[in-house]
Amino acid sequence: MAELLEISGITKRFGGLVAVNNVTFDVRDREILSVIGPNGAGKSTLFKLISSFLKPSAGEVRFKGQRISNLAPHIVARRGVVRTFQETTIFRNMTVRDNVIIAHHLRSRANLFGFFLGSALARQDENIFGQSADEILAFLGLAPQSGEIARNLPHGHLRALGIAIGLATNPSILLLDEPFAGMNHDETMKAVAMVRSLRDRGLTVLLVEHDMPAVMKISDRIVVLNFGEMIAEGTPAEIQSNARVIEAYLGSEDEAIGL
């Protein structure tokens, strides 16, 4: 598989604290790559650096061979690198369908003035966005909840809606922030199947997650961080047998890292 995203020597300092230190790896086209590590390992900071919500102190991120470090986050998203958030991007008092339609506006052709006046181009955009929203909701199994107010959704459906909002931007690579957090076993298995279906749809998936059994089940490759440094990279089988990874998780039960 070809490299889609390249993280080269990425470093982030906050004063005297080095949150991410000289991390280098690539994400290949149409793979599922997970970033794991103990609390405070630098996973969230790395995600913010990749999606350009933070500027690196050193190093760079390249997408399809082009540097995206230091670009505005909305420009990075328009280029195809889209980060989903746990629930903060959801308008809870709007319907599920309207949430997904609004997310399409990142790629609208009409400007704000056109939407205000109801121009022909704006009306065309709205029709296209509505059709696309319906397709995305059907794909993720949320069509029955299309007219439901978002705040009334159960936890698993809220997470699926967050992914639907990400898909509305037409990404090439989707960055998922703890997609399985707070789920029971059945919900997690449904979410694992959903993430796999994203890859089958042609997307590349990069995720940060604490649920190690789910990570081991879903990932093509895994990157492990500890104290801001990358200590391992490999397949789930290679990570499970890596001595440095096991040492980083000392104090946790073996099941916590899927052993």
Side-chain angles (χ1 to χ4, degrees), residues 220-251:
D220 296 308
R221 290 188 300 134
I222 299 171
V223 166
V224 186
L225 299 183
N226 192 33
F227 294 111
E229 297 185 352
M230 192 175 84
I231 62 170
E233 176 187 3
T235 65
E238 291 168 340
I239 294 302
Q240 284 178 314
S241 61
N242 187 290
R244 293 192 68 189
V245 176
I246 295 171
E247 182 182 359
Y249 279 92
L250 282 176

Side-chain angles (χ1 to χ4, degrees), residues 3 7 19 43 79 85 88 94 102 104 108 129 143 152 161 185 196 200 204 232 234 248-249 255:
E3 295 173 353
I7 294 90
K43 303 183 298 296
R79 291 196 178 187
F85 298 85
T88 55
M94 298 180 66
I102 286 174
H104 282 80
S108 62
F129 296 165
N152 297 329
L161 177 55
H185 177 75
R196 281 180 173 156
D200 294 341
T204 301
Y249 279 92
E255 290 143 3

Side-chain angles (χ1 to χ4, degrees), residues 11 148 163 221 229:
T11 298
E148 185 71 61
I163 291 175
R221 290 188 300 134
E229 297 185 352

Side-chain angles (χ1 to χ4, degrees), residues 23 66 68 74 77 82 104 160 162 190 199 228 230 249:
V23 170
Q66 299 296 315
I68 60 172
H74 71 278
V82 175
H104 282 80
K190 289 179 181 178
R199 191 257 305 279
M230 192 175 84
Y249 279 92

Side-chain angles (χ1 to χ4, degrees), residues 27-245:
V27 184
R28 300 165 189 166
D29 190 29
R30 298 192 180 191
E31 78 167 340
I32 299 173
L33 187 143
S34 298
V35 178
I36 68 171
N39 289 332
K43 303 183 298 296
S44 294
T45 301
L46 177 64
F47 245 40
K48 291 175 182 176
L49 290 165
I50 292 172
S51 54
S52 209
F53 280 83
L54 284 176
K55 294 182 179 181
S57 304
E60 66 176 10
V61 179
R62 299 179 72 85
F63 174 63
K64 295 182 177 179
Q66 299 296 315
R67 180 186 172 100
I68 60 172
S69 302
N70 299 317
L71 295 178
H74 71 278
I75 294 176
V76 171
R78 281 192 179 130
R79 291 196 178 187
V81 181
V82 175
R83 178 189 175 194
T84 67
F85 298 85
Q86 293 187 12
E87 289 175 18
T88 55
T89 55
I90 295 171
F91 293 99
R92 289 178 167 271
N93 292 321
M94 298 180 66
T95 67
V96 167
R97 186 174 187 267
D98 284 344
N99 265 278
V100 181
I101 288 175
I102 286 174
H104 282 80
H105 284 265
L106 184 70
R107 52 190 175 104
S108 62
R109 296 170 299 164
N111 58 29
L112 184 61
F113 192 61
F115 281 104
F116 181 75
L117 293 179
S119 70
L121 188 58
R123 291 195 301 271
Q124 290 174 15
D125 277 348
E126 289 293 348
N127 287 333
I128 292 170
F129 296 165
Q131 292 172 12
S132 176
D134 291 337
E135 189 272 332
I136 289 169
L137 292 174
F139 170 70
L140 294 176
L142 287 175
Q145 290 77 33
S146 177
E148 185 71 61
I149 299 299
R151 68 170 180 270
N152 297 329
L153 293 178
H155 182 72
H157 284 161
L158 273 175
R159 289 301 174 88
L161 177 55
I163 291 175
I165 288 170
L167 289 180
T169 65
N170 196 30
S172 296
I173 179 167
L174 202 56
L175 280 62
L176 303 181
D177 184 11
E178 298 188 26
F180 314 127
M183 293 185 179
N184 60 36
H185 177 75
D186 289 344
E187 289 172 332
T188 299
M189 291 302 100
K190 289 179 181 178
V192 165
M194 181 173 62
V195 173
R196 281 180 173 156
S197 72
L198 297 177
R199 191 257 305 279
D200 294 341
R201 188 185 173 99
L203 287 176
T204 301
V205 178
L206 174 64
L207 63 92
V208 164
E209 183 53 61
H210 286 287
D211 187 328
M212 291 302 101
V215 165
M216 295 298 168
K217 188 177 183 68
I218 199 174
S219 305
D220 296 308
R221 290 188 300 134
I222 299 171
V223 166
V224 186
L225 299 183
N226 192 33
F227 294 111
E229 297 185 352
M230 192 175 84
I231 62 170
E233 176 187 3
T235 65
E238 291 168 340
I239 294 302
Q240 284 178 314
S241 61
N242 187 290
R244 293 192 68 189
V245 176

